[in-house]
Amino acid sequence: MSNYARKLWAVSAIIALTGCSSASPEAQPPADAAQGSSAEVPAWCGGTPAVVGFADGAGSNSWKRLNRAEIEDEVSRCPSVEDFIYLNAQGDTQKAVSDINSLVAQGATGILVFPDAGEATLPAIRNAYRSGATVVPYRVSPGGTPGEEYTTFVASSFPTIGELWGEWLVDNLPEGGNVLFLGGPPANSQNLAVNEGLQKVLKDHPEIQVIGDQPFTVTNWNPAQTQQVTATMINKYPQIDAVVADFAATSIISAFEQAGRDIPLIATADVNGLSCKYQEKLEEGEPFDLLTVNSQTSMGRLAAQHAIAGATGGEAPAATEDIPHVFEDSVSGEPQQPVCEPELPEDAILSGELSKEQVAEVLR
C-alpha cells in the first residue's frame, strides 16, 4: 500500500470515530462499511491502482471547501487510489482549462471536474476523456454528451428543490399569499430548474403568486446585493408572505428587520448562521417559519465514486443524480427543527456527511 493510501486509511479511521458523535443521521458510517474486511472496500473501488484528480473551477468559498473535504473523505475509502491531486482555478477560466490538462499530464486516470466556467471547459474535458481517463463533471454542466465527450455527468436535481419549497408553501399558506423568489445571476440554469419545480407545484394553486421579477429576482448570489434587492422589494410590495432563495437568507432577514417588517416564511438551503438567527428570533419572541433543504455539499461523493470506479475497475453506481431533501422544518419539526451550533462559524453547513468536528476543521 502506498504512503498516500496509508494516510487516507488513517484519516478514514479518524472520520469513522468522529462521525459517530454527529447529530445528523447522514453522518453515520455507510451501510456497506459493515463488520469484516471483505465489506470495508466498497463495490465502486476496484483493484487497479489509480491516481485521482479534482479540477475545481473556483474552490475558495465555504461550500466548495466542504465539498472538497467530502470528496477527500470518500476517496479515503478506496485503498487502490495511490494519489489524489487537487487543483483550484480560483475562478480563472484559462487556469480551469489548464488544470484539466495538467491532471492528464500528471497521470490521473480518474478526473473529477467542477466546471464553474461551463462550456468553456468542454474541449479540455473531451481531450482528457479521449486520452483514456475516466472524466466526471458534476453539478454544473459543461455541455457535451456523456459517453462521447466524458464518462458521465453527476447532476443535482434542482427541480426537486423547487418542488419541496412549493409543497411547503402550499401547506403553510392555506389562504394564499405573495412569494418573492430571489435567485443568482440572470438566466442561470440552476434557478431556472428550481423555478420549473416550483411552478410545477404552484400552477394548481393560483392563490399563491410569485412576485418580483420573473422567473426570479436577480441577486447574483451576493449577500450585500441580496439585502439591497430585498429592501427594494419590501418598498415595492406592501405584502410579502414568503421568500424563497438558495443563498444569503440571513441578508434577507436583515432587510426585513431594518424595514421594521415581520419576517415572512423563508424556504432556502441550510447554513448554520440561518439556524442560529432562527433560534435568536425565537428566544426574542419574534419567531418566523423556516424550511431548509440540504445544501448538497456531499454530492461530490457520488461523482468521486463514478471517477474511482472507472479508474480502478470498480462497479460504478447506478445513480447519476443527487436528490435534495428537507433538512429542517420549523413547522412540522420533521426531520428536525432548525439546529444552531454556536461553536461553529455562520457559514458552516451541517447537512453533509462530515461530522461537526470535521466541519470545524475545514472552516477554521
Side-chain angles (χ1 to χ4, degrees), residues 6-358:
R6 291 190 184 95
K7 177 183 176 182
L8 286 179
W9 279 114
V11 170
S12 180
I14 294 171
I15 286 168
L17 290 173
T18 58
C20 293
S21 64
S22 171
S24 169
E26 290 188 320
Q28 300 306 311
D32 59 0
Q35 297 281 338
S37 58
S38 62
E40 290 177 356
V41 178
W44 45 264
C45 175
T48 303
V51 173
V52 173
F54 178 20
D56 195 347
S60 300
N61 64 41
S62 299
W63 191 98
K64 285 295 197 75
R65 290 161 66 193
L66 290 166
N67 172 68
R68 174 187 174 184
E70 298 267 8
I71 288 171
E72 290 178 337
D73 184 12
E74 199 69 3
V75 171
S76 74
R77 300 176 63 200
C78 182
S80 298
V81 178
E82 296 188 326
D83 198 7
F84 177 78
I85 305 167
Y86 174 77
L87 299 177
N88 179 4
Q90 299 179 330
D92 184 326
T93 298
Q94 185 174 353
K95 187 176 186 304
V97 170
S98 176
D99 284 349
I100 297 169
N101 294 332
S102 175
L103 290 175
V104 175
Q106 293 182 70
T109 52
I111 298 177
L112 285 162
V113 183
F114 200 117
D116 293 82
E119 293 188 12
T121 59
L122 183 58
I125 288 172
R126 182 191 304 120
N127 289 338
Y129 176 67
R130 290 177 179 174
S131 76
T134 298
V135 184
V136 183
Y138 70 103
R139 193 168 178 90
V140 176
S141 174
T145 306
E148 295 181 10
E149 294 167 286
Y150 45 86
T151 307
T152 192
F153 174 64
V154 173
S156 167
S157 179
F158 292 125
T160 299
I161 295 174
E163 291 179 30
L164 292 172
W165 288 351
E167 290 163 0
W168 188 73
L169 293 173
V170 169
D171 288 343
N172 292 285
L173 291 174
E175 304 300 321
N178 292 334
V179 178
L180 177 63
F181 181 5
L182 300 179
N188 77 84
S189 59
Q190 174 175 330
N191 285 143
L192 291 176
V194 170
N195 183 63
E196 176 188 326
L198 181 63
Q199 294 303 325
K200 179 180 178 181
V201 175
L202 295 186
K203 66 181 177 61
D204 296 326
H205 297 275
E207 70 277 10
I208 297 178
Q209 295 292 319
V210 177
I211 59 175
D213 299 332
Q214 302 298 317
F216 56 85
T217 300
V218 169
T219 70
N220 289 309
W221 291 321
N222 178 285
Q225 186 176 349
T226 297
Q227 185 166 338
Q228 181 181 21
V229 167
T230 304
T232 299
M233 292 296 159
I234 289 172
N235 290 331
K236 184 176 181 179
Y237 296 99
Q239 179 180 346
I240 301 177
D241 300 288
V243 179
V244 297
D246 45 19
F247 181 73
T250 52
S251 297
I252 297 166
I253 293 171
S254 295
F256 277 91
E257 288 179 321
Q258 291 181 12
R261 295 267 291 268
D262 290 339
I263 299 170
L265 280 70
I266 293 179
T268 185
D270 81 291
V271 65
N272 188 48
L274 175 60
S275 296
C276 289
K277 188 67 176 179
Y278 170 85
Q279 291 292 341
E280 175 188 321
K281 301 301 289 185
L282 188 64
E283 292 169 3
E284 292 174 354
E286 300 176 2
F288 64 95
D289 290 324
L290 174 66
L291 176 90
T292 66
V293 297
N294 65 309
S295 292
Q296 294 185 285
T297 54
S298 60
M299 72 172 295
R301 291 179 182 265
L302 178 60
Q305 291 172 11
H306 278 277
I308 293 170
T312 64
E315 180 181 339
T320 58
E321 188 174 47
D322 187 79
I323 309 298
H325 59 267
V326 172
F327 181 64
E328 299 165 311
D329 185 344
S330 69
V331 180
S332 70
E334 298 294 336
Q336 63 181 350
Q337 290 285 342
V339 178
C340 170
E341 298 291 349
E343 73 279 9
L344 293 179
E346 289 188 359
D347 56 352
I349 295 170
L350 299 171
S351 59
E353 297 183 34
L354 299 174
S355 69
K356 290 187 293 185
E357 292 80 6
Q358 289 170 284

